[in-house]
Amino acid sequence: MKLSNLVQTLQQHPDADLAFVLPDGKPVPPHFHVTEVGRVRKQFIDCGGTPRDTESCVLQVWVAQDDDHRLKAGKLGMIIGLAKDILRGDDLPLEVEYDVGVITQLAVSAIDASDGLIKLTLAGKHTACLAPDKCGVEGDAEGSGCCTPESAGAAGCCTPDPAVSLGGGQGKCC
């Protein structure tokens, strides 16, 4: 889901209440605050040595003890508007950062507006091997990545490679 989808929905329903639904189906308590709106850039090298770059808009959602607090769609739209110079556009993937015992980033998988409520459905994010062709190992349906205990030592995966290793740790692809 893109930030533009959220902005458009907020503009169409400025008086609507907001709800976030966690991947397990439980709602975030309705007295949440959106404490940050940010553009997050991640630059990295994948396990096959390919440089990569991703960017997203992350909304930090926080629940305080003020049970009477309710954030309306129009107010969230205003907060996002304040961040326009930082966001530099609204074609960014949309994620939510939330504390579920540990700080977790969740993808926004759906935005639905009906009956005076905008519901953002959140989905978990998973790790995956981004260079399976170089690892020689196919990821499973869960997207567990290329290096598993079963594949350790397999040709091309999890083998020490001094040219790639940082101080004697895992080698190619790990």
Side-chain angles (χ1 to χ4, degrees):
M1 195 63 49
K2 301 277 187 178
L3 174 60
S4 57
N5 301 114
L6 176 60
V7 168
Q8 180 180 18
T9 304
L10 297 173
Q11 290 171 346
Q12 291 171 347
H13 307 277
D15 296 323
D17 291 319
L18 298 167
F20 289 90
V21 180
L22 297 169
D24 65 3
K26 294 179 183 172
V28 170
H31 53 279
F32 65 84
H33 295 251
V34 173
T35 55
E36 294 178 10
V37 175
R39 179 184 189 102
V40 176
R41 181 176 184 189
K42 178 180 173 183
Q43 294 178 289
F44 59 99
I45 301 291
D46 73 18
C47 60
T50 302
R52 297 186 185 260
D53 193 338
T54 63
E55 292 183 307
S56 60
C57 173
V58 178
L59 306 178
Q60 184 183 78
V61 175
W62 175 68
V63 177
Q65 300 303 318
D66 56 343
D67 294 345
D68 295 330
H69 181 270
R70 298 292 185 274
L71 182 64
K72 295 283 191 181
K75 176 79 176 207
L76 180 55
M78 184 196 75
I79 294 168
I80 292 171
L82 293 172
K84 69 181 179 187
D85 291 341
I86 292 170
L87 296 172
R88 299 187 308 263
D90 60 2
D91 196 34
L92 295 167
L94 184 60
E95 298 181 355
V96 171
E97 184 177 87
Y98 184 64
D99 188 339
V100 291
V102 295
I103 296 174
T104 303
Q105 278 191 330
L106 303 159
V108 176
S109 62
I111 301 171
D112 300 303
S114 64
D115 300 324
L117 179 69
I118 297 173
K119 180 173 72 171
L120 288 84
T121 303
L122 307 178
K125 294 170 53 176
H126 301 282
T127 60
C129 179
L130 299 177
D133 56 322
K134 292 183 181 175
C135 291
V137 177
E138 294 180 34
D140 62 20
E142 296 291 317
S144 65
C146 65
C147 296
T148 64
E150 295 77 29
S151 67
C157 192
C158 304
T159 56
D161 184 344
V164 180
S165 180
L166 299 175
Q170 302 284 342
K172 296 178 190 174
C173 157
C174 296

